[in-house]
Amino acid sequence: MEMTLETDDAEDADEAAAGDDSGSESFFFKYFMSCCAATIAEIVTYPLDLTKTRLQIQGEGGSHAHYRGMLGTAVGIAKEEGVQRLWQGVTPAIYRHIVYSGCRMSFYELIRNQLLGRNPDGTFAFWKAAIGGLVAGALAQFLASPTDLIKVQMQMEGRRRLEGKPVRCSLLISTVHTLLMSPKFLARLHDDCP
């Protein structure tokens, strides 16, 4: 018994196969809508990501634990740095979703429709959906991973302020510049490239 997924856009698939121009319009619409949905979700949940990162990095380098728990961390950041700091680094996170969510959706549809194909009855086998999702997600994450590095660097700045260290990067462009000029970053890039 093979599991199949019903497709809700059988007409879109027929139009795309026939070379209809409305398929390209629906591609851009789907890309735009997936990016909008991901951006809204990121903005709403970003304080959780920031508090998770702060909890993970506290205690590194021999410093004592400053916060306890997710709620305590979020409240501490809001009191000590200001509520707006709960969204510090959200810009590269949004850029990540513009790359990741849009590419993931696009790659998945391309893999599903062009490489793996549908069953003769128009359904899509579950194993094909799983493989398509895995490959699409991996390719999109590969393309979006540099923005994750930038996001974490911006999240770390709050910790540096609390430790009395100078701010290295406060805006997206200064963070990118700092990372690109970092000897560790350049050495890692050299080691990873053949």
Side-chain angles (χ1 to χ4, degrees):
M1 180 173 126
E2 184 175 346
M3 292 180 58
T4 60
L5 300 175
E6 295 291 327
T7 58
D8 54 3
D9 292 344
E11 291 177 17
D12 286 346
D14 293 339
E15 289 173 1
D20 193 336
D21 286 340
S22 65
S24 65
E25 290 173 7
S26 87
F27 164 78
F28 290 112
F29 180 75
K30 288 177 185 178
Y31 192 98
F32 176 75
M33 292 307 291
S34 69
C35 292
C36 287
T39 297
I40 291 168
E42 185 68 34
I43 290 169
V44 170
T45 61
Y46 190 78
L48 296 173
D49 189 28
L50 178 75
T51 56
K52 173 198 65 125
T53 302
R54 293 281 185 93
L55 283 168
Q56 288 173 332
I57 63 171
Q58 77 177 358
E60 287 182 359
S63 63
H64 68 285
H66 190 71
Y67 302 117
R68 291 184 55 98
M70 290 288 284
L71 187 59
T73 303
V75 169
I77 292 168
K79 283 182 180 177
E80 296 168 14
E81 302 173 41
V83 174
Q84 75 279 5
R85 292 292 181 192
L86 288 170
W87 283 271
Q88 181 173 340
V90 75
T91 305
I94 291 170
Y95 291 160
R96 175 193 182 273
H97 276 295
I98 289 171
V99 174
Y100 177 73
S101 297
C103 287
R104 181 185 59 188
M105 181 272 308
S106 301
F107 290 156
Y108 178 73
E109 288 193 356
L110 176 74
I111 292 167
R112 179 186 71 185
N113 295 334
Q114 303 299 319
L115 298 178
L116 298 175
R118 299 173 190 268
N119 293 334
D121 62 355
T123 60
F124 196 67
F126 178 74
W127 69 269
K128 291 179 180 180
I131 289 172
L134 180 83
V135 172
L139 289 172
Q141 181 58 39
F142 175 76
L143 293 174
S145 62
T147 57
D148 280 332
L149 177 62
I150 295 166
K151 176 188 74 171
V152 171
Q153 289 298 312
M154 290 182 78
Q155 289 175 337
M156 295 279 295
E157 288 305 310
R159 176 181 173 201
R160 291 181 59 81
R161 280 188 191 94
L162 291 176
E163 293 174 347
K165 296 179 180 175
V167 176
R168 291 183 300 185
C169 42
S170 58
L171 299 173
L172 178 64
I173 193 72
S174 64
T175 306
V176 172
H177 181 264
T178 302
L179 283 171
L180 291 176
M181 296 300 125
S182 167
K184 289 181 182 177
F185 178 77
L186 295 174
R188 177 67 190 260
L189 202 60
H190 181 268
D191 291 344
D192 289 346
C193 296

